[in-house]
Amino acid sequence: MSPRARVLVVSTGAVRPLPWRGRTVATGIGKTPVHGPVDVGASGLTGDEQADREHHGGPGKAVLVYPVEHYRTWAEEIGDLVPPAFGENLTTSGLLETDTAIGSVYAAGTAVLQVTWPRRPCYKLSAHHGIADLAVRTQRTGRTGFYCRVLLPGRLGAGSDVELLHRPDHGITVAEVHRVVNVDRADHAAARHLLDHPELLPSSWVGLLTKRLTGRLDDQGARLHG
């Protein structure tokens, strides 16, 4: 984390239909910035909606964070994007996946957030931008963003400082979990290391990694391509 991490943009959105490969899908990825402080509780930000409650939302995915630093890199590859182009609730500076440890606790405004898991990109990101391989590229580059649970409800807004309250000793970062779960799926040694800390992972990922160690590789096609 940088010496002064901050929330730059706070965004929420309603579920809307989106065309994708000849059908219509429902998604809350199309968010817009909110002016002024927003209440944040165990279910997320007031006014925010998710269409797929199985894979989005819930206590472990209450708030989606995306580093503003990635926007500069994306601009070089696909053109300028304006936050919250990746469907994030909080666009931040000073919080990168490579530096942020799973389980870290931060104060943002009067709320307290705990980092849970990296975001697993899905095809709705591609549909939102009309770029067929954007979910795949987001996954490959590791510019995914990450989720937080809300330990203490409060209010936050654009300009709120983000203060590190606790960083776990295990040192496992968001980027490392993303790499092992989504990209380097044959890295059994790293998978075993993550499985030594099952409390850091959702139960479905524990099952996924355990199966990989027996040689059963999961199919990512439906998530990435729809």
Side-chain angles (χ1 to χ4, degrees), residues 6-97:
R6 299 182 68 196
V7 176
L8 301 181
V9 183
V10 178
S11 305
T12 62
V15 173
R16 296 183 176 89
L18 193 65
W20 177 246
R21 294 187 171 179
R23 69 184 196 274
T24 299
V25 296
T27 175
I29 196 172
K31 304 188 188 303
T32 56
V34 177
H35 300 289
V38 179
D39 291 322
V40 57
S43 298
L45 276 65
T46 297
D48 197 43
E49 297 180 357
Q50 297 84 32
D52 181 357
R53 299 294 293 181
E54 179 181 355
H55 298 102
H56 302 283
K61 299 179 179 179
V63 179
L64 177 59
V65 176
Y66 199 78
V68 75
E69 291 86 350
H70 296 333
Y71 279 89
R72 289 189 283 271
T73 309
W74 284 119
E76 297 171 357
E77 298 176 4
I78 62 177
D80 289 336
L81 299 172
V82 177
F86 287 81
E88 70 267 24
N89 298 117
L90 307 181
T91 311
T92 60
S93 63
L95 290 171
L96 292 172
E97 297 91 343

